[in-house]
Amino acid sequence: MSRVLVTGATGFIGRGTVRPLLASGFEVHAVGSRRPPAPVQWHQADLLQEGSAEALMQSIRPTHLLHLAWYAEPGAFWRSTENLRWVEASLRLLRAFAAHGGRRAVLAGSCAEYAWDDHTWCVEATTPCRPATLYGTAKHALHQIAERFAVDVGISLAWGRIFFVFGPHERPERLAGSVSSALVRGVEAPCSHGRQRRDFLYSEDLADAFVALLNSPVEGAVNLASGQPVEIRELVMALAQAAGRPELIRLGARPTAPGEPAELAADVRRLRDEVGWAPPAALSERAVDCIAWWRRELGAPAPGEA
């Protein structure tokens, strides 16, 4: 049986990988801040600590690695020096994985690695990687080192570039988390004008895409996105319609960030044609799922319910 170690397994994206990994026949070992449900084997470890990765790999000896853990404090992660610590920790993890018989690794990258112009259509092989933040630079540097290392030691490695994500367990400081929690609580949801175009993917679908990439032989950078960019206000209004509270949306109540591109989207031909994965549901359907999760999380009834 193939054995996979998932880091960040109880995070926003990582928790959604457990079900598809088990369905794929993996023996799943998880590193996370909370114990996931059985039959996952949970390991409590601080990957930033010297020796932690070596001890994990020596104990588990996984055949596969899905590395999702990173510093992700909303707003702060773009420039935090924690990014440097995670580059170091990730390289220790990858070295230990290779040293203890690992065969296939998939690591999480970011669309922040690309050079962002006002209208950017990100294609893995042609769009320049010229990150504008420490976060994007750290991710890109890790990719370059990890890819060269994988070739030298003979392991298979793919790099999944994440774009824009929403869904269950999202932090309320993030866009969809802020809007969804406000709508479910019945309070106003202030937003920017929302005309920026972005490529959104539901968090559980992104987790499934990562597992599909892990199960494939595809190597190198792969954009993990829908390939169907929409205006931000389309997502916001889909959430509002799902909640039955469109009157609570306040478009234009918040300023846009300085230098924010008008359009940032992904070419997903590698994901679709080589990995063989595409989103299983439309954005509007996933907005309904997202609102339903927030209702359960906040203990709020749907409109018309007692």
Side-chain angles (χ1 to χ4, degrees):
M1 175 184 288
S2 296
R3 184 179 299 120
V4 62
L5 174 64
V6 185
T7 72
T10 53
F12 178 32
I13 299 166
R15 67 180 65 224
T17 65
V18 171
R19 184 178 297 175
L21 284 170
L22 290 171
S24 297
F26 282 104
E27 176 184 300
V28 181
H29 293 255
V31 178
S33 57
R34 295 173 298 279
R35 183 185 296 274
V40 174
Q41 298 186 48
W42 181 60
H43 304 265
Q44 192 170 16
D46 181 1
L47 294 177
L48 295 172
Q49 184 177 356
E50 289 274 1
S52 178
E54 174 66 27
L56 268 175
M57 295 300 177
Q58 188 170 21
S59 170
I60 302 167
R61 296 185 179 273
T63 56
H64 292 66
L65 172 65
L66 181 54
H67 179 39
L68 304 174
W70 201 270
Y71 177 73
E73 186 68 26
F77 74 92
W78 292 110
R79 293 174 175 81
S80 174
T81 55
E82 287 296 302
N83 288 296
L84 306 182
R85 299 181 69 204
W86 275 103
V87 172
E88 296 166 353
S90 301
L91 291 174
R92 288 195 298 266
L93 187 73
L94 191 59
R95 287 200 307 269
F97 173 68
H100 292 284
R103 301 197 304 261
R104 169 75 170 165
V106 171
L107 282 64
S110 170
C111 64
E113 297 171 64
Y114 289 116
W116 290 3
D117 296 320
D118 194 42
H119 293 271
T120 307
W121 188 264
C122 300
V123 183
E124 297 95 338
T126 59
T127 304
C129 283
R130 195 166 56 246
T133 63
L134 182 58
Y135 168 74
T137 302
K139 284 286 189 178
H140 183 51
L142 175 60
H143 177 214
Q144 291 181 299
I145 298 169
E147 193 165 60
R148 182 66 260 172
F149 173 76
V151 171
D152 288 351
V153 299
I155 64 173
S156 174
L157 184 138
W159 183 261
R161 287 200 175 121
I162 300 170
F163 279 68
F164 297 87
V165 194
F166 74 102
H169 306 284
E170 184 172 5
R171 297 279 291 268
E173 300 95 329
R174 289 167 52 93
L175 170 66
S178 171
V179 170
S180 299
S181 59
L183 292 169
V184 168
R185 288 183 287 114
V187 300
E188 291 185 352
C191 309
S192 73
H193 56 66
R195 292 189 296 273
Q196 316 93 312
R197 290 177 65 81
R198 299 290 183 266
D199 196 320
F200 291 101
L201 198 58
Y202 194 60
S203 57
E204 293 182 355
D205 292 337
L206 175 58
D208 191 60
F210 264 113
V211 174
L213 181 57
L214 186 71
N215 277 320
S216 80
V218 174
E219 297 183 337
V222 179
N223 291 334
L224 301 186
S226 71
Q228 300 174 334
V230 298
E231 291 188 345
I232 288 175
R233 60 184 175 179
E234 291 184 50
L235 171 61
V236 168
M237 294 311 300
L239 292 168
Q241 292 296 334
R245 301 301 304 268
E247 75 280 2
L248 295 175
I249 299 298
R250 295 292 178 265
L251 292 171
R254 288 183 172 173
T256 58
E260 188 173 5
E263 181 174 26
L264 185 60
D267 183 296
V268 295
R269 283 174 293 182
R270 290 207 80 199
L271 178 62
R272 182 192 63 211
D273 300 339
E274 298 179 44
V275 179
W277 189 91
L283 183 73
S284 58
E285 296 175 75
R286 289 314 196 195
V288 171
D289 295 337
C290 184
I291 291 295
W293 182 87
W294 276 102
R295 285 200 179 108
R296 293 192 298 271
E297 178 71 5
L298 298 178
E305 293 181 355

